[in-house]
């Protein structure tokens, strides 16, 4: 029962992603669907894995490191939540991409831990596009300077930008924000900083991923529409 429900949810999200790509004149291969599995049991992740998904997103280091050994090894894990410097060492060589870098101090710690393990860590700069007090991320106007500072750290590679748009009722309300982030990424790319490549735009969640795709998202982070509502009382 549960696995049928998850398969149906995934198929419906897939269809909506494909349709948004079509409307935007983009190829489906330009958009990566990240299944955001936070608070969900590995049995649920396995159903989505069996349906073909290899990109999973988690927002807590402890939950992520607990799930990694329980799941197949060909998964690309994405750390999408706020990262504390003292936890970098647990994940730096285990994740494909860290989406949530919003300070030089954090990037510096990622650089140190990446070099210890002989890897280069791919990261995104999280931008608080709507300047919401409750959200992490740098202000829009601070992003370029942060990229320039981090560009001197050769154990870290900036792959693009990430944003969490406001929780709005009508997704259309976030279109201007996604557009701004896209423009910002083009501006930063034009600076040709070392170790900075604006290839990835991680934006769009259950409520607004179609608009995000229309505005240039390369990675959408979808939880609820695939796994159903989260129950934080049980899991945290
Ligand atoms: C939880 C979460 C998501 C997924 O949110 P849904 O609305 O359930 O799709 C995406 N991005 C981040 C950073 C998250 O923490």
């Amino acid at each position: 029962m549960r696995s049928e429900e998850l398969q149906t949810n995934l198929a419906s999200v897939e269809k909506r992603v494909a349709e948004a790509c079509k409307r935007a004149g983009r190829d489906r291969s330009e958009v990566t669907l990240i299944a955001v599995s936070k608070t969900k049991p590995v049995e649920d992740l396995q159903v989505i894995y069996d349906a073909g998904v290899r990109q999973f997103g988690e927002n807590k280091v402890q939950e992520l490191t607990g799930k990694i050994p329980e799941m197949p090894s060909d998964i690309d894990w994405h750390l999408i939540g706020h990262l504390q410097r003292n936890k970098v060492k647990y994940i730096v060589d285990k994740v494909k991409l860290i989406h949530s870098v919003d300070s030089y101090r954090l990037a510096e710690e990622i650089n140190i831990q990446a070099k210890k393990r002989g890897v280069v860590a791919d990261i995104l700069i999280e931008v608080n596009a709507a300047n919401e007090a409750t959200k992490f991320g740098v202000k829009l106007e601070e992003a370029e300077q942060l990229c320039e500072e981090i560009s001197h750290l050769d154990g870290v590679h900036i792959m693009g930008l990430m944003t969490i748009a406001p929780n709005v009722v009508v997704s259309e309300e976030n279109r201007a924000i996604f557009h701004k982030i896209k423009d910002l990424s083009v501006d930063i790319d034009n600076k040709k900083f070392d170790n900075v490549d604006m290839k990835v735009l991680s934006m769009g969640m259950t409520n607004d991923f179609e608009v995000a795709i229309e505005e240039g998202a390369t990675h959408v982070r979808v939880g609820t529409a695939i796994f159903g509502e989260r129950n934080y009382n049980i899991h945290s």
Side-chain angles (χ1 to χ4, degrees):
M1 268 301 272
R2 175 68 179 154
S3 74
E4 260 173 50
E5 183 189 334
L6 291 171
Q7 285 160 5
T8 307
N9 288 350
L10 178 64
S12 144
V13 169
E14 267 298 344
K15 185 160 177 275
R16 289 167 60 192
V17 168
E19 283 167 359
C21 286
K22 208 171 202 178
R23 281 196 297 279
R26 304 179 65 193
D27 196 86
R28 172 65 186 86
S29 65
E30 292 173 41
V31 179
T32 301
L33 172 64
I34 299 172
V36 176
S37 47
K38 63 192 188 198
T39 79
K40 299 297 175 180
V42 288
E43 291 73 23
D44 285 7
L45 278 69
Q46 188 66 48
V47 173
I48 297 302
Y49 176 93
D50 291 339
V53 173
R54 294 294 178 271
Q55 314 290 321
F56 287 83
E58 290 282 341
N59 69 334
K60 292 210 166 80
V61 167
Q62 199 179 350
E63 187 174 352
L64 175 63
T65 53
K67 280 173 176 172
I68 289 174
E70 302 285 319
M71 292 293 296
S73 59
D74 64 342
I75 288 177
D76 289 333
W77 294 96
H78 296 257
L79 196 274
I80 60 175
H82 181 63
L83 177 58
Q84 288 170 306
R85 282 184 299 144
N86 61 357
K87 301 213 169 132
V88 170
K89 55 181 177 284
Y90 302 119
I91 54 115
V92 73
D93 56 350
K94 296 192 173 60
V95 299
K96 169 88 173 168
L97 189 60
I98 300 171
H99 290 233
S100 45
V101 177
D102 62 358
S103 73
Y104 183 75
R105 272 158 48 97
L106 175 57
E108 212 173 22
E109 177 64 14
I110 295 171
N111 185 56
I112 289 168
Q113 297 299 335
K115 287 185 153 180
K116 265 193 194 168
R117 288 162 183 77
V119 299
V120 173
D122 287 339
I123 66 166
L124 303 179
I125 302 301
E126 180 172 354
V127 182
N128 184 353
N131 244 328
E132 293 173 280
T134 53
K135 296 226 168 101
F136 292 105
V138 290
K139 291 182 184 155
L140 215 66
E141 56 275 16
E142 293 167 353
E144 181 184 317
Q145 197 195 332
L146 181 60
C147 286
E148 181 168 22
E149 286 167 11
I150 294 175
S151 72
H152 303 297
L153 303 171
D154 59 5
V156 170
H157 195 148
I158 298 180
M159 302 295 292
L161 305 177
M162 179 272 227
T163 199
I164 304 173
N167 192 1
V168 292
V169 178
V170 183
S171 62
E172 201 57 43
E173 290 175 45
N174 282 335
R175 185 179 296 278
I177 284 179
F178 295 138
H179 197 88
K180 266 196 218 169
I181 297 288
K182 169 74 190 185
D183 281 351
L184 177 64
S185 82
V186 172
D187 288 347
I188 294 175
D189 214 26
N190 285 336
K191 304 284 174 188
K192 308 283 178 213
F193 298 132
D194 290 341
N195 306 312
V196 178
D197 238 330
M198 286 285 140
K199 279 201 197 105
V200 173
L201 274 187
S202 169
M203 55 189 199
M205 308 174 21
T206 288
N207 285 333
D208 55 18
F209 69 87
E210 289 151 299
V211 175
I213 289 170
E214 288 167 17
E215 295 301 327
T218 66
H219 290 60
V220 290
R221 310 177 308 267
V222 180
T224 308
I226 296 173
F227 293 101
E229 294 290 337
R230 289 177 289 273
N231 187 340
Y232 285 102
N233 297 330
I234 292 173
H235 294 278
S236 62

